Every structure is written in C-alpha cells, then in structure tokens.
Amino acid sequence: MMINKAPRPSLDQVATARQIALFLDYDGTLAEFALTPDQIDPKPEVIALLTRLSHCPQLHVNVVSGRRLAHIQALLPVPNILLAGTYGLEMQLPDGRQFSRAELEAIQPALERLKPQWKQLLVDRAGFYLEDKVWALAIHARYAEENEAQFVLGKAHDIALDVISLDQFRWLTGHRFCEVSPLWANKGITVKNLISDYAAPDLLSIYVGDDGMDEEAFAIVKAQGGLTILVADRPRATQADYRLDSPAQVGHWLNQLAAQLEAAAQQT
Ligand SMILES: [Mg+2]
C-alpha cells in the first residue's frame, strides 16, 4: 500500500470514456457520517446529484454501502441507479428488481445467538453502538474511550469466533468498528461481479470510498485500469490512486463530472 498524497483526480480520462461504471460508497463518501449508523436522514443535495448523474447516458451509477438495502433505499429514492446494501449482499437493480445473494434463514440463527452475547458485553459501557443489520451484526466504538474500545472489540472478536463459522461468515474490522457478516458481504466481490455484468470491453470504472471495506473494491477497480478515489482529509495508506478531502469535495467533483458528460452527450 502507498501513502496517498495524490491530488484530485483529473476529468480528462473520464471525458472521452464511452461507458462508465461509477461506484460510490455512501457514509463518509457521499454524505458525512450520521451520529448513529441507524439514522436515516436523506440529503436533498445528494439525491439531486445522483438524479443528475442517473440522466447521463454514458454512466451506470452504483451505490455500494455497508448499510442495509432498506436504509439505502430510504436515503436515495432515485430511479435508474443500482443500490447495493450490506456490501452487495442485497441489491436493487436500476429497473427496481431486488434480490439477495444468500438465504436469510441460513444466516440468522448464528446472528441470533451472537446478538445477546454482544449486548451483554456492551451493558453499562458508554460510546458503543450495536447495529443489527438483519444480515449482519456490527459494533461501533467511535465515541468510546480508546482503551475500552480496544478491549471490547477484542472481546467481541473472541465471542464471535465461538458462535459463528468462518465458512459462512466474515470477520470485518475497521476504525473502532467490528462486524460479522456473510461471506458475500464483500465490496470487492460485488464490484467485480457488477463490472463483468456490464460486459462492456471499453468500460471505465470509477470507485469512490472512504474506509477499509472500500479497499477491497479499490483493488478490483485498479486491476481493471479504473479510477480509484479515497475520501480522507489527510494522506493515508490506501490502494486508491487519488484523494478527495470530504463528501463536499466528492459532491463538487461529481457535479463537474456530470457537467462534462452532459456536454459530451450534447455533441453526439
Ligand atoms: Mg463509508
């Protein structure tokens, strides 16, 4: 991994592309983080931006989030874009059809055994948040005290490995975060499948994301010669080639992209 100091991505490469698959994370990328991950607070400017992008004929718009699909649907009521929830385990296609890549009945028993044990671990502790994603279970420790966060996330790991099978589930960690989710919950696999579904030899892929789960997708998009953009307010180790400082900058860059594609579409 390289420390990413690169400037904002140039639009030159994008201007000449005939078909583009645009992959966007949601929290920390299109919108600032919500106070809790269960908060659903649709952002009019993000909805307007994605609606604008959805009208560009060269563009396939995909939102790939760790949130539940139902949340992403509520946050982005935009037709003709693809919404991938739980890292791509559950999807809504641009025409509105929905499907999931695993059987909920096969997933839930283990999560139902794990949940009360994790709940017990968090009793009387401040700054932690247990997120039940139905398909997955996560602990957020963003607002917890540092040492306690490390202790609890370590304990959560030990408990989880007693309850789940790694043939069926993945153990995910991030900054002050851990999660148990099915194997299909993988942005890298999701993006790889979507790129091959588009089946366009001259497809340019662009991926914009801000956290560890996005790194799996950066690797895939990079291997295909695509554009990888990290959202971070300072340089850090990443697979991504470019960096934008904040969701506001992402919005600005994507609006510029839309303007360029609109102009190109008018010329043809
Ligand atoms: Mg994110």
Side-chain angles (χ1 to χ4, degrees):
M1 276 200 197
M2 284 184 42
I3 301 292
N4 178 306
K5 288 187 278 202
R8 37 197 307 121
S10 150
L11 287 165
D12 296 348
Q13 189 184 354
V14 181
T16 52
R18 291 185 26 223
Q19 280 203 72
I20 300 169
L22 177 63
F23 299 99
L24 304 165
D25 171 46
Y26 189 84
D27 292 276
T29 297
L30 285 173
E32 294 289 349
F33 282 101
L35 216 49
T36 74
D38 279 332
Q39 202 167 328
I40 299 173
D41 178 18
K43 302 272 186 278
E45 69 278 13
V46 177
I47 294 169
L49 169 63
L50 291 205
T51 303
R52 183 180 186 185
L53 291 167
S54 77
H55 291 141
C56 296
Q58 312 93 321
L59 211 52
H60 305 282
V61 181
N62 310 269
V63 175
V64 185
S65 171
R67 288 206 196 212
R68 296 190 57 190
L69 178 61
H71 285 197
I72 291 298
Q73 288 168 324
L75 288 164
L76 294 172
V78 178
N80 302 316
I81 65 174
L82 184 145
L83 302 179
T86 320
Y87 314 104
L89 189 73
E90 344 166 59
M91 289 214 216
Q92 177 181 296
L93 300 175
D95 64 9
R97 277 180 298 152
Q98 289 184 34
F99 69 96
S100 50
R101 293 195 183 270
E103 296 295 328
L104 197 53
E105 303 82 68
I107 299 299
Q108 266 183 330
L111 296 179
E112 275 164 15
R113 285 198 300 277
L114 178 60
K115 191 178 175 180
Q117 296 190 48
W118 271 11
K119 235 182 183 160
Q120 184 61 35
L121 174 66
L122 300 184
V123 164
D124 293 334
R125 296 185 193 273
F128 293 90
Y129 189 84
L130 179 63
E131 183 187 11
D132 183 349
K133 301 186 180 186
V134 182
W135 289 98
L137 210 54
I139 295 176
H140 300 259
R142 185 179 288 264
Y143 304 108
E145 189 267 319
E146 172 92 50
N147 287 337
E148 194 178 27
Q150 283 199 2
F151 170 79
V152 167
L153 293 177
K155 243 350 203 192
H157 174 255
D158 297 345
I159 294 170
L161 290 198
D162 277 345
V163 176
I164 61 162
S165 157
L166 291 177
D167 293 335
Q168 197 184 18
F169 288 95
R170 325 178 63 198
W171 171 255
L172 303 175
T173 53
H175 176 62
R176 303 249 186 141
F177 168 82
C178 70
E179 176 171 334
V180 164
S181 56
L183 292 180
W184 274 104
N186 181 319
K187 289 187 175 185
I189 293 176
T190 299
V191 166
K192 193 172 190 176
N193 286 335
L194 288 172
I195 289 173
S196 93
D197 287 350
Y198 287 124
D202 56 353
L203 185 79
L204 171 69
S205 298
I206 304 176
Y207 192 100
V208 193
D210 74 298
D211 75 23
M213 309 309 156
D214 298 310
E215 295 290 337
E216 294 180 316
F218 286 149
I220 298 293
V221 169
K222 246 181 110 145
Q224 314 256 355
L227 231 68
T228 46
I229 306 170
L230 175 74
V231 186
D233 59 4
R234 68 201 69 175
R236 70 157 197 253
T238 179
Q239 307 257 10
D241 288 325
Y242 300 99
R243 182 168 64 83
L244 291 167
D245 277 344
S246 63
Q249 271 206 14
V250 172
H252 183 66
W253 189 79
L254 289 174
N255 269 308
Q256 283 184 317
L257 170 66
Q260 196 145 333
L261 294 176
E262 284 157 7
Q266 279 197 344
Q267 281 166 17
T268 53

